Amino acid sequence: MIGAMLHINGKPTVHFSCKSNLDRPSHLPPKPTAVKMTTTTTITTTPPPTILQPYWASLQADIEAHLKHVMPYKDPLVVFEPMHHLVFSAPRTTVPALCLAACELLSGHRRQAMAAASALLLLLAANHTHEQIPLSTKPKPKSKPMMSFRAFTPGIELMTGDGIIPFGFELLSESHDLARDNSDQILRVILEISRAVGSEGLIDAQYKKNLLSRSDGRESCHVERIMEIMEKDEGGLHACGAACGAILGGGNEEEIEKLRKFGFYVGMIQGMVSEGLWEEVEVVRDLAFKELQYFKDNNRDADAISSFIIHV
Amino acid sequence: MIGAMLHINGKPTVHFSCKSNLDRPSHLPPKPTAVKMTTTTTITTTPPPTILQPYWASLQADIEAHLKHVMPYKDPLVVFEPMHHLVFSAPRTTVPALCLAACELLSGHRRQAMAAASALLLLLAANHTHEQIPLSTKPKPKSKPMMSFRAFTPGIELMTGDGIIPFGFELLSESHDLARDNSDQILRVILEISRAVGSEGLIDAQYKKNLLSRSDGRESCHVERIMEIMEKDEGGLHACGAACGAILGGGNEEEIEKLRKFGFYVGMIQGMVSEGLWEEVEVVRDLAFKELQYFKDNNRDADAISSFIIHV
């Protein structure tokens, strides 16, 4: 065990020292000392594992159906056609579905969290779209060269991403339901999401990822840097998704924070798996199950949401 | 008079037929039949006219001071330094200040609308930042060549813009004040702003502007196209700014819609002035004053906000 779970300001944080493979148990595959970054955001390149399929697929299908309903092909087609294409062609992540799953765990109906899940899907698709724009100063991918085929010009991709982002917030603010008096919940969710995707969240992770991809593995504590990025990327985004679902499912503060931690672990596990950090996965998976135990102890059915924990 | 003001679905819309200069009064400068688009968004290149200075300057100074307070130089500096630079170096517009002015017209305190004004400034700065990113497929500016000096790389500009946008929504959601129970107002403002800057608002205008800049004035109804763009760009954004200020100033529906129309006219006048559409300016200025008359009739002091109507 080379890592230790620390809780700083209430937020779970995984820290790893830069040790060699010497004290690694022999039954585990060798731990990479200098892990190469994948060419695109790891969160968007990790396909949802097979074990998630039944529950995740049901949630994801509902989110996509909802988005097709609220984002019809309409005028101006020159704007909505690329919007459709770029939203639905972006790699799927488990973040939006986890938002619905957290809401359902607390006996909420998934439609209560549908706007938040849709907004998360939109914002991650916009981020992916912008990440793919070829700019001369961006570091070139090493293992996966950029495909030459592009459905739209970089200018359209830039503008479309810029249109998708406010549309996510538009959906959220529209989900205000006078009958349910949920405006405080929605404002809190807008705050959670804007922070998770913003300058201290996903954007910070992407900046650091760009820096790291330039360092070419020469940095002394490369794995630590990767973990820092993962905490705001996969970890932070899944934490946000689960917390938003908990808020909209009517969770109390303890439930919201338990689900935030659970989401963080779910995201970290995905990131660790994609980076081949096998030993750390085992530790974090135990922590994720511990968070779910709280809900089981309170007579909640946590089986469905536990499928978000990847087994390797 | 070559134009006619139409009201479609309650939204004021200016329509112009493609007539020649033949029936233009001799005391007016020749009306351009094919107006050239300026190289960047007209709204961001139009400096606030001198006549606005005292009131506008006071409002703008307060907004910038607020933004410097809520967006300090802090870690990660690599993220916040370009954010600061790009927010405060973007051309100033009258949209955020008009938001505060509308709030004050209704006897609200300008701090009630400060988060909305700040969010508007941030979102327009992000839009300007992204508009300046050099992309090989974007039409080249004709009259004003792109300056070769850039403070940051296009990659940083792209990411920083993507960080500024959610920060605008973060400020809005944070302005939720339990004591004032203003969550419904804030959600309505988030909806207004996300629509105004989104795919059916500013982004649609920019897409059309790009198309128009490629047509090189050959299109038969070039002025009509420019007016359509202006309705979503300068017109739509000022309409949004004024409506948000009215909502946060506690305005009733009639006051909000009157101020929305006033803002629309204020923006259209700015756009028309920058395009040299002098005769149309006179018509729209009269309409703007008519909207303010309603407030004067209801014992509101409309002198300060009337300074937003440009006199030429």
Side-chain angles (χ1 to χ4, degrees):
Chain A
M1 163 63 187
I2 61 158
M5 296 303 302
L6 298 178
H7 289 255
I8 297 171
N9 297 330
K11 186 191 165 196
T13 310
V14 191
H15 282 265
F16 294 88
S17 60
C18 290
K19 288 194 182 171
S20 73
N21 285 322
L22 291 178
D23 52 358
R24 192 172 174 77
S26 58
H27 68 278
L28 289 171
K31 180 185 162 297
T33 50
V35 185
K36 285 277 195 296
M37 293 298 290
T38 51
T39 52
T40 53
T41 321
T42 45
I43 191 168
T44 51
T45 53
T46 311
T50 318
I51 198 159
L52 281 178
Q53 285 305 331
Y55 187 46
W56 172 83
S58 148
L59 299 168
Q60 181 74 14
D62 276 9
I63 298 166
E64 291 182 15
H66 179 73
L67 272 172
K68 279 173 185 156
H69 177 69
V70 295
M71 196 173 66
Y73 263 79
K74 62 176 178 179
D75 278 329
L77 262 186
V78 287
V79 169
F80 279 94
E81 203 267 323
M83 200 159 156
H84 252 257
H85 177 88
L86 294 167
V87 165
F88 293 111
S89 68
R92 287 161 165 169
T93 79
T94 42
V95 175
L98 183 58
C99 176
L100 299 192
C103 179
E104 289 194 333
L105 174 70
L106 300 178
S107 308
H109 192 286
R110 61 177 74 171
R111 71 172 165 269
Q112 290 169 232
M114 193 56 81
S118 301
L120 284 164
L121 190 150
L122 289 168
L123 291 165
L124 297 184
N127 185 274
H128 174 77
T129 298
H130 280 183
E131 209 177 21
Q132 301 303 308
I133 294 175
L135 295 170
S136 55
T137 53
K138 280 208 301 199
K140 296 277 185 299
K142 282 159 197 150
S143 56
K144 290 186 192 168
M146 186 80 72
M147 283 192 300
S148 59
F149 171 75
R150 306 188 73 82
F152 302 101
T153 65
I156 296 293
E157 290 178 352
L158 179 61
M159 279 196 290
T160 305
D162 282 347
I164 293 171
I165 301 171
F167 185 56
F169 289 103
E170 183 180 333
L171 285 186
L172 278 167
S173 52
E174 274 179 341
S175 66
H176 176 204
D177 182 349
L178 280 175
R180 286 184 42 233
D181 190 22
N182 62 348
S183 54
D184 289 358
Q185 285 179 348
I186 292 169
L187 279 172
R188 190 167 169 188
V189 164
I190 292 173
L191 188 61
E192 293 275 353
I193 293 179
S194 54
R195 282 182 180 163
V197 301
S199 300
E200 293 185 81
L202 181 59
I203 296 296
D204 185 32
Q206 286 186 319
Y207 185 83
K208 288 184 173 134
K209 200 182 297 180
N210 282 358
L211 279 183
L212 197 66
S213 67
R214 288 202 188 93
S215 80
D216 214 9
R218 291 183 301 255
E219 215 180 308
S220 59
C221 281
H222 205 78
V223 175
E224 276 189 24
R225 296 290 89 77
I226 288 177
M227 297 302 297
E228 277 175 26
I229 292 165
M230 219 180 267
E231 285 176 23
K232 295 197 170 181
D233 193 335
E234 292 92 337
L237 292 172
H238 282 87
C240 168
C244 289
I247 292 165
L248 295 164
N252 60 34
E253 290 308 314
E254 191 170 10
E255 289 167 330
I256 293 165
E257 293 315 310
K258 289 265 175 203
L259 275 163
R260 185 194 305 282
K261 283 182 191 171
F262 173 74
F264 178 77
Y265 298 139
V266 163
M268 291 303 284
I269 292 168
Q270 287 195 14
M272 288 165 175
V273 167
S274 74
E275 298 293 350
L277 301 166
W278 308 107
E279 189 179 0
E280 291 78 359
V281 167
E282 291 177 33
V283 179
V284 181
R285 197 168 51 216
D286 286 348
L287 291 165
F289 278 114
K290 270 187 196 153
E291 296 302 334
L292 286 192
Q293 191 57 46
Y294 166 87
F295 295 98
K296 288 180 181 170
D297 293 345
N298 286 279
N299 301 316
R300 302 280 191 190
D301 180 1
D303 286 350
I305 203 170
S306 72
S307 68
F308 279 80
I309 304 172
I310 298 178
H311 292 265
V312 284
Chain B
M1 166 59 189
I2 60 158
M5 297 302 302
L6 298 178
H7 289 255
I8 297 169
N9 298 330
K11 187 193 164 196
T13 311
V14 191
H15 282 267
F16 294 88
S17 59
C18 290
K19 289 196 182 170
S20 72
N21 284 323
L22 292 178
D23 52 358
R24 191 172 175 78
S26 57
H27 68 278
L28 289 171
K31 182 184 163 295
T33 49
V35 186
K36 285 275 194 301
M37 292 297 291
T38 51
T39 52
T40 53
T41 323
T42 45
I43 192 168
T44 52
T45 53
T46 311
T50 320
I51 199 161
L52 280 178
Q53 285 304 332
Y55 186 46
W56 172 83
S58 150
L59 299 168
Q60 181 73 13
D62 275 10
I63 298 166
E64 291 183 15
H66 179 73
L67 273 171
K68 280 173 184 156
H69 176 69
V70 295
M71 195 173 65
Y73 264 80
K74 63 176 178 181
D75 277 331
L77 262 187
V78 288
V79 170
F80 279 95
E81 204 265 325
M83 200 161 157
H84 251 255
H85 177 88
L86 293 167
V87 164
F88 293 111
S89 68
R92 287 160 166 170
T93 79
T94 43
V95 174
L98 183 58
C99 176
L100 299 192
C103 180
E104 289 194 333
L105 174 69
L106 300 178
S107 307
H109 191 286
R110 62 176 74 169
R111 73 171 165 270
Q112 289 169 231
M114 192 57 79
S118 301
L120 283 164
L121 191 150
L122 289 167
L123 291 166
L124 296 184
N127 184 274
H128 175 77
T129 298
H130 280 184
E131 208 178 21
Q132 301 304 307
I133 294 175
L135 295 171
S136 56
T137 53
K138 280 207 298 197
K140 296 278 183 301
K142 281 160 200 150
S143 56
K144 291 185 191 168
M146 187 81 73
M147 284 193 299
S148 59
F149 171 76
R150 307 188 71 83
F152 302 101
T153 65
I156 296 292
E157 290 177 351
L158 179 61
M159 279 196 291
T160 306
D162 282 347
I164 292 172
I165 299 171
F167 185 55
F169 289 103
E170 183 180 334
L171 285 186
L172 278 167
S173 52
E174 274 180 339
S175 67
H176 175 204
D177 182 349
L178 281 176
R180 287 184 39 234
D181 190 22
N182 62 348
S183 55
D184 290 356
Q185 285 178 350
I186 292 169
L187 279 172
R188 189 167 169 187
V189 164
I190 291 174
L191 188 59
E192 293 273 354
I193 292 178
S194 55
R195 284 183 179 164
V197 302
S199 299
E200 293 184 82
L202 181 58
I203 296 296
D204 184 32
Q206 285 186 321
Y207 185 82
K208 288 185 174 134
K209 202 182 295 181
N210 282 359
L211 278 185
L212 197 65
S213 67
R214 289 201 189 95
S215 79
D216 213 9
R218 288 184 302 256
E219 214 180 309
S220 59
C221 281
H222 206 78
V223 175
E224 277 189 23
R225 299 288 90 75
I226 289 178
M227 297 300 299
E228 276 176 27
I229 292 165
M230 218 179 265
E231 284 177 23
K232 295 197 168 178
D233 192 337
E234 293 92 338
L237 292 171
H238 283 85
C240 167
C244 290
I247 292 165
L248 295 163
N252 60 36
E253 291 308 314
E254 190 169 12
E255 289 166 331
I256 292 166
E257 293 316 311
K258 290 266 175 202
L259 275 163
R260 186 194 304 281
K261 283 184 192 169
F262 173 74
F264 179 76
Y265 298 140
V266 163
M268 291 302 283
I269 292 168
Q270 287 194 17
M272 287 165 177
V273 167
S274 75
E275 298 292 350
L277 301 166
W278 307 107
E279 190 181 0
E280 291 77 359
V281 167
E282 288 175 36
V283 178
V284 180
R285 196 168 53 217
D286 286 349
L287 292 164
F289 277 114
K290 271 187 197 154
E291 295 301 334
L292 286 192
Q293 190 59 44
Y294 167 86
F295 295 97
K296 286 181 181 168
D297 294 345
N298 285 279
N299 301 316
R300 302 282 191 188
D301 180 1
D303 285 349
I305 203 170
S306 72
S307 69
F308 279 80
I309 305 171
I310 297 178
H311 292 266
V312 284

